[in-house]
Amino acid sequence: PQESKKTTAPANQGALDEALRNGEWTMADIIANDLVKQDPKSPIGAFVVDVSRNVLLHGRGLALSPYDFPYVDDSAKAKLRSWVQGLLSANQSNENILILDMVLRLKGFADNDGAIRDLETALKLAPNNTFILSALGGLYGAKGRINEAEGLLEKALTLDPKFSTAYMNLGM
């Protein structure tokens, strides 16, 4: 009999970090889910489940979608910040980790300027990533940088004409 491919991974922080560094959002979701099962109060597990599900299920359109951290208190936010900063310092040229940092800055700390810096760096690494183009365009629009926003959002729609989040951000 043929063995079926394993769709599980060791539920540990190292495996999660590796999946995120590699942009393996499905595996990151599986591992984070297992982390939450092991520790329901794990802010890192819950955060990654939220981000990965948004990335996987909503066409990478999470940047301006309703999103908050109801499970995160100040202590958990500090732990998340430390974890993401550790990932960034270990692998600074990774757009997937920059996406995590952007979401944390934007939704956890209301740091729009920091989120914009993350996305500008990520865009240099992945200039045709429609999620990054749309998220940055949406943030530029919210800051009144309309011409820059339109250019990025139109590029995202040229690359993926069905990317609904880019249409929503363009309508801002």
Side-chain angles (χ1 to χ4, degrees):
Q2 236 181 345
E3 281 187 13
S4 62
K5 246 186 171 177
K6 248 187 160 180
T7 57
T8 60
N12 65 56
Q13 198 62 55
L16 178 61
D17 294 355
E18 187 65 25
L20 291 167
R21 282 189 191 101
N22 293 329
E24 296 169 352
W25 291 100
T26 301
M27 186 55 69
D29 182 63
I30 292 167
I31 296 167
N33 235 338
D34 287 346
L35 288 173
V36 171
K37 286 177 188 171
Q38 291 172 14
D39 177 9
K41 294 183 179 187
S42 166
I44 292 172
F47 173 67
V48 173
V49 167
D50 283 354
V51 174
S52 63
R53 297 237 168 122
N54 273 284
V55 169
L56 293 167
L57 300 176
H58 300 295
R60 296 180 169 244
L62 63 91
L64 297 177
S65 64
Y67 191 90
D68 57 17
F69 293 161
Y71 52 85
V72 176
D73 59 20
D74 288 340
S75 169
K77 283 183 186 180
K79 185 175 182 175
L80 283 169
R81 165 67 33 231
S82 175
W83 171 65
V84 171
Q85 288 302 313
L87 289 173
L88 283 171
S89 65
N91 191 355
Q92 293 181 7
S93 63
N94 188 311
E95 69 270 15
N96 300 302
I97 304 305
L98 288 162
I99 287 169
L100 282 177
D101 192 49
M102 178 276 303
V103 172
L104 183 59
R105 285 177 183 274
L106 188 63
K107 304 301 180 176
F109 295 94
D111 178 8
N112 290 2
D113 292 334
I116 287 172
R117 284 191 303 274
D118 282 343
L119 289 171
E120 288 171 340
T121 302
L123 187 61
K124 290 175 187 170
L125 300 169
N128 292 322
N129 182 308
T130 55
F131 166 75
I132 295 168
L133 288 163
S134 179
L136 185 56
L139 285 171
Y140 279 170
K143 290 286 230 174
R145 297 167 63 176
I146 303 304
N147 290 337
E148 292 168 286
E150 287 176 348
L152 293 172
L153 294 165
E154 288 170 1
K155 181 176 179 180
L157 291 169
T158 298
L159 293 167
D160 183 358
K162 295 180 181 181
F163 189 36
S164 61
T165 304
Y167 282 109
M168 289 184 337
N169 288 341
L170 192 57
M172 290 173 51

